[in-house]
Protein backbone atom coordinates (compact mmCIF):
# COMPACT_ATOMS: atom_id res chain seq x y z
CA UNK A 1 0.00 0.00 0.00
CA UNK A 2 1.43 3.38 -1.08
CA UNK A 3 0.49 5.99 1.50
CA UNK A 4 0.68 9.76 1.16
CA UNK A 5 0.48 11.82 4.37
CA UNK A 6 -0.36 15.53 4.10
CA UNK A 7 1.22 17.86 6.68
CA UNK A 8 4.50 18.88 8.26
CA UNK A 9 4.20 18.63 12.04
CA UNK A 10 4.79 16.28 14.92
CA UNK A 11 1.43 14.62 14.26
CA UNK A 12 2.53 13.71 10.73
CA UNK A 13 5.92 12.41 11.95
CA UNK A 14 4.09 10.19 14.45
CA UNK A 15 1.66 8.96 11.79
CA UNK A 16 4.55 8.09 9.48
CA UNK A 17 6.36 6.19 12.24
CA UNK A 18 3.19 4.24 12.96
CA UNK A 19 2.60 3.53 9.28
CA UNK A 20 6.22 2.38 8.85
CA UNK A 21 5.54 -0.44 11.32
CA UNK A 22 2.60 -1.74 9.25
CA UNK A 23 3.77 -4.58 6.94
CA UNK A 24 1.01 -3.75 4.44
CA UNK A 25 2.56 -0.30 3.82
CA UNK A 26 5.13 -0.53 1.04
CA UNK A 27 5.83 3.16 0.31
CA UNK A 28 5.61 6.28 2.45
CA UNK A 29 5.35 9.83 1.12
CA UNK A 30 4.68 13.10 2.93
CA UNK A 31 3.91 16.61 1.73
CA UNK A 32 5.60 18.84 2.67
CA UNK A 33 7.10 17.02 5.67
CA UNK A 34 10.00 18.26 7.79
CA UNK A 35 13.59 17.40 8.65
CA UNK A 36 12.52 14.35 10.68
CA UNK A 37 10.05 12.86 8.21
CA UNK A 38 12.72 12.84 5.52
CA UNK A 39 14.39 9.85 7.21
CA UNK A 40 11.32 7.57 6.92
CA UNK A 41 9.41 8.94 3.92
CA UNK A 42 9.90 10.87 0.71
CA UNK A 43 9.20 14.57 1.27
CA UNK A 44 7.35 16.47 -1.46
CA UNK A 45 7.03 20.25 -1.72
CA UNK A 46 3.27 20.77 -1.99
CA UNK A 47 0.94 23.47 -0.65
CA UNK A 48 -1.31 21.48 1.70
CA UNK A 49 -4.30 23.78 1.19
CA UNK A 50 -4.19 23.43 -2.61
CA UNK A 51 -6.64 20.75 -3.72
CA UNK A 52 -5.10 20.80 -7.20
CA UNK A 53 -1.57 20.42 -5.86
CA UNK A 54 -2.41 17.58 -3.47
CA UNK A 55 -4.49 15.82 -6.11
CA UNK A 56 -1.71 16.08 -8.69
CA UNK A 57 0.77 14.53 -6.26
CA UNK A 58 -1.63 11.71 -5.35
CA UNK A 59 -2.00 10.94 -9.06
CA UNK A 60 1.75 11.14 -9.66
CA UNK A 61 2.37 8.65 -6.84
CA UNK A 62 -0.68 6.52 -7.65
CA UNK A 63 -1.40 6.60 -3.91
CA UNK A 64 -3.52 3.83 -2.41
CA UNK A 65 -4.33 5.93 0.66
CA UNK A 66 -4.07 9.65 1.40
CA UNK A 67 -4.03 10.73 5.07
CA UNK A 68 -4.68 14.42 5.72
CA UNK A 69 -3.16 15.58 8.99
CA UNK A 70 -3.90 19.31 9.50
CA UNK A 71 -7.30 20.90 9.98
CA UNK A 72 -7.03 23.71 7.41
CA UNK A 73 -6.96 21.54 4.25
CA UNK A 74 -9.83 19.48 5.69
CA UNK A 75 -11.97 22.56 6.32
CA UNK A 76 -11.12 23.82 2.81
CA UNK A 77 -12.30 20.59 1.16
CA UNK A 78 -9.06 18.91 0.06
CA UNK A 79 -10.48 15.54 1.15
CA UNK A 80 -13.55 16.12 -1.02
CA UNK A 81 -11.39 16.72 -4.08
CA UNK A 82 -9.40 13.54 -3.46
CA UNK A 83 -12.50 11.41 -2.91
CA UNK A 84 -14.19 12.83 -5.99
CA UNK A 85 -11.12 11.71 -7.96
CA UNK A 86 -11.38 8.18 -6.57
CA UNK A 87 -8.65 8.21 -3.90
CA UNK A 88 -9.21 6.46 -0.57
CA UNK A 89 -8.86 9.41 1.83
CA UNK A 90 -8.57 9.53 5.61
CA UNK A 91 -10.12 12.79 6.75
CA UNK A 92 -13.59 14.33 6.65
CA UNK A 93 -15.06 16.44 3.88
CA UNK A 94 -15.39 20.19 4.29
CA UNK A 95 -18.94 20.14 5.65
CA UNK A 96 -18.24 17.55 8.34
CA UNK A 97 -14.93 19.27 9.18
CA UNK A 98 -16.94 22.27 10.39
CA UNK A 99 -17.17 20.35 13.68
CA UNK A 100 -13.75 21.95 14.24
CA UNK A 101 -13.87 24.80 11.75
CA UNK A 102 -16.83 26.50 13.42
CA UNK A 103 -17.42 26.44 17.17
CA UNK A 104 -21.00 27.60 16.56
CA UNK A 105 -21.63 24.68 14.17
CA UNK A 106 -20.24 22.24 16.75
CA UNK A 107 -22.54 23.68 19.42
CA UNK A 108 -25.54 23.29 17.11
CA UNK A 109 -24.66 19.66 16.38
CA UNK A 110 -24.20 18.89 20.08
CA UNK A 111 -27.52 20.49 20.95
CA UNK A 112 -29.30 18.41 18.33
CA UNK A 113 -27.49 15.25 19.50
CA UNK A 114 -28.23 15.87 23.19
CA UNK A 115 -24.54 16.04 24.12
CA UNK A 116 -23.47 17.89 27.27
CA UNK A 117 -21.28 20.94 26.74
CA UNK A 118 -20.76 24.38 28.20
CA UNK A 119 -23.43 27.07 28.00
CA UNK A 120 -22.37 29.45 25.25
CA UNK A 121 -23.18 32.62 23.39
CA UNK A 122 -21.91 33.84 20.01
CA UNK A 123 -20.94 37.51 19.78
CA UNK A 124 -20.47 38.98 16.29
CA UNK A 125 -20.93 42.67 17.09
CA UNK A 126 -18.39 44.64 19.17
CA UNK A 127 -21.22 46.77 20.55
CA UNK A 128 -22.70 43.71 22.25
CA UNK A 129 -19.45 42.41 23.73
CA UNK A 130 -19.49 44.04 27.17
CA UNK A 131 -23.07 43.02 27.94
CA UNK A 132 -22.30 39.46 26.87
CA UNK A 133 -19.17 39.31 29.05
CA UNK A 134 -21.29 40.38 32.02
CA UNK A 135 -23.37 37.22 31.58
CA UNK A 136 -20.28 35.04 32.10
CA UNK A 137 -17.48 34.77 34.67
CA UNK A 138 -15.88 34.68 37.19
CA UNK A 139 -13.84 32.48 34.83
CA UNK A 140 -14.23 33.55 31.20
CA UNK A 141 -13.74 31.17 28.27
CA UNK A 142 -13.37 33.09 24.99
CA UNK A 143 -12.98 31.19 21.71
CA UNK A 144 -12.26 32.44 18.23
CA UNK A 145 -15.08 30.96 16.12
CA UNK A 146 -12.69 29.67 13.50
CA UNK A 147 -9.36 27.94 13.10
CA UNK A 148 -6.54 29.28 15.26
CA UNK A 149 -4.04 26.39 15.40
CA UNK A 150 -4.98 25.56 18.98
CA UNK A 151 -4.27 29.10 20.22
CA UNK A 152 -7.65 30.76 19.70
CA UNK A 153 -8.88 30.07 23.23
CA UNK A 154 -8.37 32.23 26.30
CA UNK A 155 -9.41 30.94 29.73
CA UNK A 156 -8.99 33.61 32.38
CA UNK A 157 -10.33 35.13 35.58
CA UNK A 158 -9.26 38.54 34.27
CA UNK A 159 -12.23 40.21 32.56
CA UNK A 160 -9.95 42.71 30.81
CA UNK A 161 -7.90 39.89 29.28
CA UNK A 162 -11.07 38.12 28.16
CA UNK A 163 -12.36 41.32 26.59
CA UNK A 164 -9.06 42.02 24.85
CA UNK A 165 -8.99 38.59 23.18
CA UNK A 166 -12.61 38.85 22.12
CA UNK A 167 -12.07 42.35 20.71
CA UNK A 168 -9.04 41.16 18.71
CA UNK A 169 -11.10 38.37 17.13
CA UNK A 170 -13.96 40.71 16.29
CA UNK A 171 -11.56 43.27 14.83
CA UNK A 172 -10.37 40.77 12.19
CA UNK A 173 -13.95 39.77 11.39
CA UNK A 174 -14.17 36.58 13.44
CA UNK A 175 -17.19 36.07 15.72
CA UNK A 176 -16.32 34.91 19.23
CA UNK A 177 -17.87 32.23 21.39
CA UNK A 178 -18.23 32.92 25.11
CA UNK A 179 -18.62 29.81 27.24
CA UNK A 180 -19.22 28.92 30.84
CA UNK A 181 -16.20 27.30 32.45
CA UNK A 182 -16.24 23.50 32.68
CA UNK A 183 -14.56 22.22 35.83
CA UNK A 184 -12.89 18.85 36.25
CA UNK A 185 -9.86 17.11 34.71
CA UNK A 186 -9.65 17.12 30.93
CA UNK A 187 -9.49 14.07 28.66
CA UNK A 188 -8.59 13.78 24.98
CA UNK A 189 -10.24 10.85 23.21
CA UNK A 190 -9.45 10.06 19.57
CA UNK A 191 -12.01 7.98 17.69
CA UNK A 192 -11.88 6.49 14.22
CA UNK A 193 -15.27 7.32 12.73
CA UNK A 194 -16.87 5.93 9.58
CA UNK A 195 -20.44 7.20 9.42
CA UNK A 196 -22.04 5.81 12.57
CA UNK A 197 -19.23 3.32 13.27
CA UNK A 198 -16.97 4.53 16.09
CA UNK A 199 -13.72 2.88 17.25
CA UNK A 200 -12.03 4.64 20.17
CA UNK A 201 -8.29 4.82 20.73
CA UNK A 202 -6.90 5.01 24.26
CA UNK A 203 -7.54 8.30 26.11
CA UNK A 204 -4.77 10.81 26.77
CA UNK A 205 -4.36 14.09 28.61
CA UNK A 206 -2.86 17.19 27.01
CA UNK A 207 -1.14 20.07 28.81
CA UNK A 208 -2.25 23.28 27.08
CA UNK A 209 -0.68 26.02 29.19
CA UNK A 210 2.86 27.04 28.32
CA UNK A 211 4.26 26.85 31.87
CA UNK A 212 4.60 24.34 34.67
CA UNK A 213 1.58 23.91 36.95
CA UNK A 214 -0.69 25.11 34.13
CA UNK A 215 0.51 28.70 34.15
CA UNK A 216 0.78 31.16 31.28
CA UNK A 217 -1.15 31.39 28.01
CA UNK A 218 -2.74 28.53 26.11
CA UNK A 219 -0.68 26.87 23.39
CA UNK A 220 -1.23 24.18 20.80
CA UNK A 221 -0.11 21.71 23.49
CA UNK A 222 3.11 21.34 25.49
CA UNK A 223 2.96 17.62 26.21
CA UNK A 224 0.71 14.64 26.87
CA UNK A 225 0.61 11.21 28.41
CA UNK A 226 -1.38 8.00 28.05
CA UNK A 227 -3.06 5.97 29.47
CA UNK A 228 -4.77 7.86 32.31
CA UNK A 229 -4.39 5.96 35.60
CA UNK A 230 -7.18 8.01 37.20
CA UNK A 231 -9.79 7.39 34.47
CA UNK A 232 -11.87 4.20 34.80
CA UNK A 233 -12.35 2.12 31.64
CA UNK A 234 -16.11 2.54 31.85
CA UNK A 235 -15.69 6.31 31.43
CA UNK A 236 -14.22 5.78 27.96
CA UNK A 237 -17.24 3.65 27.10
CA UNK A 238 -19.53 6.37 28.43
CA UNK A 239 -17.80 9.03 26.35
CA UNK A 240 -18.18 6.93 23.21
CA UNK A 241 -21.84 6.11 23.90
CA UNK A 242 -22.99 9.50 25.20
CA UNK A 243 -20.81 11.86 23.17
CA UNK A 244 -19.08 10.52 20.06
CA UNK A 245 -21.74 8.14 18.73
CA UNK A 246 -24.60 10.68 19.05
CA UNK A 247 -22.52 13.35 17.27
CA UNK A 248 -21.53 10.92 14.50
CA UNK A 249 -25.18 9.92 14.09
CA UNK A 250 -26.30 13.56 13.94
CA UNK A 251 -23.78 14.30 11.19
CA UNK A 252 -25.12 11.32 9.23
CA UNK A 253 -28.69 12.59 9.76
CA UNK A 254 -27.64 15.96 8.32
CA UNK A 255 -26.25 14.30 5.21
CA UNK A 256 -22.64 15.12 6.16
CA UNK A 257 -21.26 11.82 7.50
CA UNK A 258 -17.87 12.01 9.18
CA UNK A 259 -15.01 9.86 7.87
CA UNK A 260 -11.67 10.08 9.62
CA UNK A 261 -10.48 10.95 13.11
CA UNK A 262 -12.90 12.71 15.46
CA UNK A 263 -11.20 14.15 18.52
CA UNK A 264 -13.29 14.86 21.59
CA UNK A 265 -11.78 17.14 24.23
CA UNK A 266 -13.77 16.73 27.43
CA UNK A 267 -13.94 17.87 31.03
CA UNK A 268 -14.96 15.18 33.50
CA UNK A 269 -17.04 16.96 36.14
CA UNK A 270 -19.49 15.91 38.84
CA UNK A 271 -22.18 15.28 36.24
CA UNK A 272 -19.97 13.21 33.95
CA UNK A 273 -18.19 14.13 30.71
CA UNK A 274 -18.93 17.43 28.96
CA UNK A 275 -17.41 18.50 25.65
CA UNK A 276 -14.86 21.31 25.64
CA UNK A 277 -14.19 21.05 21.89
CA UNK A 278 -14.15 18.75 18.89
CA UNK A 279 -11.34 18.48 16.35
CA UNK A 280 -11.65 16.86 12.93
CA UNK A 281 -8.17 15.27 12.94
CA UNK A 282 -5.44 13.78 15.09
CA UNK A 283 -4.30 16.36 17.64
CA UNK A 284 -0.84 17.40 18.72
CA UNK A 285 0.80 16.34 20.95
CA UNK A 286 -1.46 13.47 22.10
CA UNK A 287 -1.05 11.65 18.76
CA UNK A 288 2.62 10.96 19.43
CA UNK A 289 1.92 9.34 22.80
CA UNK A 290 -1.16 7.37 21.76
CA UNK A 291 0.28 5.93 18.55
CA UNK A 292 3.46 4.89 20.39
CA UNK A 293 1.40 2.25 22.21
CA UNK A 294 -0.64 0.98 19.23
CA UNK A 295 0.13 -2.65 18.39
CA UNK A 296 -2.42 -3.05 15.59
CA UNK A 297 -1.35 -2.09 12.03
CA UNK A 298 -2.04 1.64 11.68
CA UNK A 299 -2.28 1.65 7.90
CA UNK A 300 -4.96 -1.00 7.93
CA UNK A 301 -7.00 0.93 10.50
CA UNK A 302 -6.78 4.21 8.57
CA UNK A 303 -7.53 2.47 5.28
CA UNK A 304 -10.59 0.71 6.75
CA UNK A 305 -11.89 4.09 7.90
CA UNK A 306 -11.23 5.67 4.51
CA UNK A 307 -12.86 2.86 2.54
CA UNK A 308 -16.01 2.47 4.64
CA UNK A 309 -15.04 -0.89 6.16
CA UNK A 310 -14.24 0.22 9.72
CA UNK A 311 -16.99 -2.01 11.11
CA UNK A 312 -15.02 -5.05 9.84
CA UNK A 313 -11.73 -4.01 11.46
CA UNK A 314 -10.53 -6.38 14.23
CA UNK A 315 -10.43 -4.82 17.72
CA UNK A 316 -7.42 -2.56 18.21
CA UNK A 317 -4.62 -3.96 20.34
CA UNK A 318 -2.38 -1.89 22.61
CA UNK A 319 1.01 -2.31 24.25
CA UNK A 320 1.13 -2.47 28.02
CA UNK A 321 2.78 0.43 29.82
CA UNK A 322 2.67 4.17 29.30
CA UNK A 323 3.89 6.87 26.92
CA UNK A 324 4.79 10.51 27.56
CA UNK A 325 5.52 13.21 25.00
CA UNK A 326 7.18 16.50 25.98
CA UNK A 327 7.26 19.43 23.56
CA UNK A 328 10.46 21.43 23.11
CA UNK A 329 9.37 24.91 22.02
CA UNK A 330 11.28 27.76 20.46
CA UNK A 331 12.13 30.93 22.32
CA UNK A 332 9.10 33.23 22.74
CA UNK A 333 6.50 30.55 21.85
CA UNK A 334 3.45 30.86 21.91
CA UNK A 335 4.32 34.34 20.68
CA UNK A 336 6.27 34.85 17.46
CA UNK A 337 8.96 32.15 17.77
CA UNK A 338 12.64 32.52 17.14
CA UNK A 339 13.61 30.27 14.22
CA UNK A 340 16.67 29.26 12.22
CA UNK A 341 18.75 27.94 15.12
CA UNK A 342 20.73 24.71 14.73
CA UNK A 343 19.38 21.87 16.87
CA UNK A 344 21.82 19.50 18.56
CA UNK A 345 20.41 16.02 19.24
CA UNK A 346 17.50 16.25 16.78
CA UNK A 347 18.26 12.76 15.48
CA UNK A 348 18.09 11.08 18.88
CA UNK A 349 15.92 8.11 19.76
CA UNK A 350 12.31 9.08 20.44
CA UNK A 351 12.67 12.60 18.98
CA UNK A 352 9.75 13.53 16.74
CA UNK A 353 10.03 16.59 14.53
CA UNK A 354 7.40 19.31 14.24
CA UNK A 355 8.80 22.77 13.44
CA UNK A 356 12.09 21.77 11.82
CA UNK A 357 13.83 22.18 8.47
CA UNK A 358 17.19 21.44 6.85
CA UNK A 359 19.24 24.55 6.01
CA UNK A 360 21.64 25.08 3.11
CA UNK A 361 24.49 23.49 5.03
CA UNK A 362 22.48 20.34 5.73
CA UNK A 363 21.95 21.13 9.42
CA UNK A 364 18.62 20.60 11.16
CA UNK A 365 17.26 23.97 12.29
CA UNK A 366 14.18 25.26 14.10
CA UNK A 367 11.37 26.39 11.80
CA UNK A 368 8.34 26.84 14.03
CA UNK A 369 7.05 27.36 17.55
CA UNK A 370 6.73 23.78 18.70
CA UNK A 371 9.99 22.39 17.39
CA UNK A 372 10.27 18.82 18.70
CA UNK A 373 8.25 16.27 20.61
CA UNK A 374 10.35 14.00 22.80
CA UNK A 375 8.83 10.60 23.53
CA UNK A 376 9.29 8.34 26.51
CA UNK A 377 7.81 4.85 26.75
CA UNK A 378 7.98 2.63 29.80
CA UNK A 379 6.34 -0.03 31.92
CA UNK A 380 4.48 2.69 33.79
CA UNK A 381 4.05 6.46 33.82
CA UNK A 382 7.08 7.05 36.04
CA UNK A 383 9.36 5.10 33.70
CA UNK A 384 7.96 6.80 30.60
CA UNK A 385 8.43 10.27 32.14
CA UNK A 386 11.98 9.47 33.17
CA UNK A 387 12.89 8.34 29.66
CA UNK A 388 11.35 11.41 28.00
CA UNK A 389 13.20 13.86 30.24
CA UNK A 390 16.46 11.93 29.96
CA UNK A 391 16.20 12.25 26.18
CA UNK A 392 15.48 15.98 26.43
CA UNK A 393 18.74 16.46 28.31
CA UNK A 394 20.60 15.48 25.12
CA UNK A 395 18.90 18.18 23.02
CA UNK A 396 20.33 21.67 22.66
CA UNK A 397 18.36 24.51 21.06
CA UNK A 398 19.21 28.13 21.98
CA UNK A 399 16.43 29.81 23.95
CA UNK A 400 14.16 26.76 23.89
CA UNK A 401 11.82 25.85 26.73
CA UNK A 402 9.70 22.90 27.82
CA UNK A 403 7.46 21.97 30.70
CA UNK A 404 9.02 19.81 33.41
CA UNK A 405 5.74 18.49 34.82
CA UNK A 406 4.09 16.54 31.99
CA UNK A 407 2.15 13.70 33.65
CA UNK A 408 3.45 14.61 37.12
CA UNK A 409 0.04 15.32 38.69
CA UNK A 410 -1.29 11.95 37.52
CA UNK A 411 1.83 10.16 38.76
CA UNK A 412 1.50 11.74 42.21
CA UNK A 413 -2.21 10.92 42.49
CA UNK A 414 -3.36 14.54 42.32
CA UNK A 415 -6.05 13.95 39.67
CA UNK A 416 -9.38 12.30 40.42
CA UNK A 417 -12.97 12.33 39.21
Amino acid sequence: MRVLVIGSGGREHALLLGLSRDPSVTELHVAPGNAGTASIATNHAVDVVSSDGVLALARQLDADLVVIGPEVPLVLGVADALRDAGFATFGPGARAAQIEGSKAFAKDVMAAAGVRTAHSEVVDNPAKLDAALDRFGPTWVVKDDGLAAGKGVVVTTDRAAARSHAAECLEIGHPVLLESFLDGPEVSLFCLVDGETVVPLIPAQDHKRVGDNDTGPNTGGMGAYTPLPWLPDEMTTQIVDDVVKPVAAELVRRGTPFSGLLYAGLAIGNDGPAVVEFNCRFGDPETQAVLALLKSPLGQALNATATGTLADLPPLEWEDGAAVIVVVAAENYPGKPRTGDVIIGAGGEGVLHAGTAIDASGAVVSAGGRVLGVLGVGADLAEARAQAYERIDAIKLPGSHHRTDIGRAALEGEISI
Side-chain angles (χ1 to χ4, degrees):
M1 179 164 55
R2 290 179 297 277
V3 182
L4 168 61
V5 175
I6 304 301
S8 61
R11 164 188 50 228
E12 287 73 36
H13 196 174
L15 285 165
L16 289 164
L17 286 171
L19 289 164
S20 71
R21 297 191 291 267
D22 184 337
S24 72
V25 175
T26 55
E27 285 183 31
L28 278 175
H29 299 268
V30 59
N34 58 43
T37 63
S39 65
I40 53 173
T42 303
N43 286 8
H44 300 268
V46 169
D47 182 354
V48 300
V49 301
S50 168
S51 294
D52 290 343
V54 173
L55 185 55
L57 179 60
R59 285 178 170 145
Q60 174 191 328
L61 299 174
D62 193 20
D64 298 304
L65 173 66
V66 183
V67 180
I68 302 178
E71 63 274 25
V72 176
L74 291 168
V75 170
L76 294 179
V78 174
D80 297 301
L82 288 162
R83 283 199 186 90
D84 289 347
F87 288 97
T89 303
F90 184 88
R95 292 173 67 193
Q98 286 301 304
I99 198 76
E100 177 174 1
S102 168
K103 308 295 189 296
F105 175 82
K107 289 290 186 182
D108 186 61
V109 169
M110 284 186 275
V115 170
R116 290 186 65 245
T117 186
H119 166 68
S120 65
E121 182 177 336
V122 176
V123 180
D124 58 8
N125 184 338
K128 298 179 179 179
L129 177 57
D130 285 304
L133 286 168
D134 289 342
R135 291 190 282 273
F136 291 83
T139 298
W140 285 268
V141 181
V142 184
K143 297 182 177 182
D144 185 334
D145 186 30
L147 296 175
K151 292 177 283 186
V153 180
V154 165
V155 181
T156 180
T157 57
D158 183 341
R159 187 184 187 282
R163 191 188 190 287
S164 175
H165 180 63
E168 288 175 8
C169 295
L170 291 167
E171 187 175 337
I172 62 173
H174 290 194
V176 293
L177 194 75
L178 303 182
E179 284 189 346
S180 58
F181 179 67
L182 292 173
D183 205 0
E186 292 195 7
V187 173
S188 299
L189 184 66
F190 296 157
C191 293
L192 302 174
V193 176
D194 165 21
E196 293 195 42
T197 302
V198 175
V199 175
L201 280 62
I202 52 175
Q205 187 177 58
D206 187 11
H207 295 62
K208 283 290 188 188
R209 300 281 187 171
V210 72
D212 283 0
N213 302 312
D214 295 326
T215 57
N218 269 353
T219 71
M222 292 299 293
Y225 66 96
T226 187
L228 310 182
W230 48 268
L231 189 75
D233 291 343
E234 55 266 27
M235 183 59 73
T236 300
T237 302
Q238 183 181 348
I239 292 168
V240 171
D241 291 345
D242 294 350
V243 175
V244 184
K245 285 185 175 179
V247 165
E250 174 62 18
L251 291 172
V252 169
R253 188 191 69 77
R254 295 181 179 215
T256 59
F258 193 98
S259 174
L261 194 288
L262 186 59
Y263 162 110
L266 310 112
I268 313 298
N270 291 333
D271 297 324
V275 174
V276 176
E277 65 176 350
F278 280 110
N279 289 342
C280 63
R281 40 75 194 186
F282 280 102
D284 275 333
E286 301 99 317
T287 300
Q288 292 95 310
V290 170
L291 293 186
L293 297 183
L294 179 65
K295 285 177 66 175
S296 299
L298 178 61
Q300 294 176 37
L302 302 185
N303 191 59
T305 308
T307 57
T309 59
L310 183 60
D312 301 325
L313 186 73
L316 296 178
E317 296 182 7
W318 300 91
E319 301 283 0
D320 294 331
V324 171
I325 189 85
V326 182
V327 170
V328 175
E331 182 177 345
N332 201 44
Y333 178 80
K336 181 176 176 56
R338 169 175 160 173
T339 59
D341 289 304
V342 173
I343 308 166
I344 304 300
E349 185 73 20
V351 178
L352 285 79
H353 290 231
T356 67
I358 298 175
D359 70 8
S361 71
V364 177
V365 298
S366 58
R370 290 185 295 169
V371 180
L372 302 171
V374 182
L375 178 70
V377 177
D380 54 26
L381 183 55
E383 194 173 298
R385 268 179 48 85
Q387 186 181 74
Y389 284 109
E390 181 181 344
R391 288 171 169 175
I392 279 180
D393 287 341
I395 296 169
K396 307 300 177 188
L397 172 62
S400 67
H401 59 97
H402 64 272
R403 283 184 58 160
T404 65
D405 63 344
I406 304 301
R408 181 197 57 76
L411 180 63
E412 297 180 2
E414 296 176 4
I415 305 177
S416 62
I417 59 171

